[in-house]
Amino acid sequence: DVFHVVPMPDTRFGPAERQALVAELQTAVTLLDARRFTEARRRINRRLIELRRAIEAHLGSRDVARVIYGSIIGLALVVALGNHPPSAATMAGFLVGTAVAVGLAEAYSEFVGTEARTRRPVKRTQVRQLLADAGAVTFGAGFPSLFFVLAAAGAIDTDLAFSLAKWSGLGLICAYGFLAARLSGARLGRAFVHAVLVGAVGGALIALKALMH
């Protein structure tokens, strides 16, 4: 089996975290190889509980709104340029440049707004938080560039990159809507309806921003 590990937005996954993941997987494989299934199951369940808590913490943070906001901006650009598409490399550059610009604008506006609201200089710890918040917007807006990088490398064609960029972004918005409804206590059917409605509103906003380009 092949497992693909993708860090959540604003989550550090450097060499130390990578090494910890490899060590954890090696431990699980060793336990399974020794037929110590109960211990392996408990260890995996503990990690799954930690993962659930991390997801809930992410959904309870301000990052969700910023990722969705960034996604709408990125998808609007994809939709706007879809009728007369540039090359895959150019499209990836547009998206990355837009994502960085929007993220910096987010950080700057929050910086000025914080000083105006508190009437105090922004502290270094607050600057780090502002940059982290802006990073969520940058991630959401720049995520579709991944598909165009693949297209530029020849892994997929440009038409497929546009399709994946549109549907993955809209799917992300719907997924956030579904999870938000479930965490608020909604049943499965109602959560699906909520996800569809959130996706419809997101699609309308994307279309509106695309028309304004």
Side-chain angles (χ1 to χ4, degrees):
D1 295 331
V2 178
F3 297 89
H4 297 280
V5 179
V6 180
M8 293 187 300
D10 301 323
T11 300
R12 175 177 171 79
F13 193 71
E17 289 77 14
R18 190 178 297 107
Q19 184 177 0
L21 175 62
V22 171
E24 185 66 31
L25 291 176
Q26 288 175 338
T27 300
V29 171
T30 300
L31 291 173
L32 292 172
D33 190 53
R35 305 185 68 83
R36 295 161 63 183
F37 301 121
T38 301
E39 187 176 348
R41 187 181 301 112
R42 288 174 179 171
R43 192 178 186 91
I44 292 172
N45 286 341
R46 184 168 64 251
R47 293 301 183 185
L48 290 175
I49 292 173
E50 292 175 356
L51 176 61
R52 177 183 173 85
R53 289 174 178 170
I55 293 174
E56 289 178 347
H58 169 66
L59 292 173
S61 70
R62 298 182 298 176
D63 291 343
V64 173
R66 288 177 165 82
V67 171
I68 292 176
Y69 173 64
S71 297
I72 290 174
I73 293 174
L75 287 175
L77 183 60
V78 171
V79 172
L81 297 177
N83 293 329
H84 303 285
S87 67
T90 301
M91 191 66 199
F94 280 159
L95 285 167
V96 172
T98 299
V100 172
V102 171
L104 291 175
E106 174 77 12
Y108 178 72
S109 62
E110 287 292 334
F111 183 93
V112 175
T114 299
E115 287 193 332
R117 184 174 62 255
T118 62
R119 294 177 174 79
R120 294 178 181 177
V122 175
K123 298 180 181 179
R124 184 174 300 178
T125 55
Q126 291 176 296
V127 171
R128 286 198 293 267
Q129 182 60 51
L130 293 177
L131 292 176
D133 292 343
V137 178
T138 301
F139 173 83
F143 178 76
S145 64
L146 170 65
F147 303 111
F148 295 100
V149 171
L150 292 175
I156 59 176
D157 60 50
T158 304
D159 289 339
L160 179 58
F162 270 95
S163 297
L164 291 174
K166 293 174 187 176
W167 290 109
S168 64
L170 196 57
L172 175 67
I173 295 172
C174 291
Y176 272 129
F178 175 81
L179 292 173
R182 289 291 288 169
L183 290 175
S184 66
R187 294 184 178 180
L188 193 61
R190 186 175 179 181
F192 274 117
V193 173
H194 188 266
V196 171
L197 292 175
V198 168
V201 173
L205 290 173
I206 291 166
L208 179 61
K209 291 189 74 65
L211 291 174
M212 294 173 64
H213 278 75

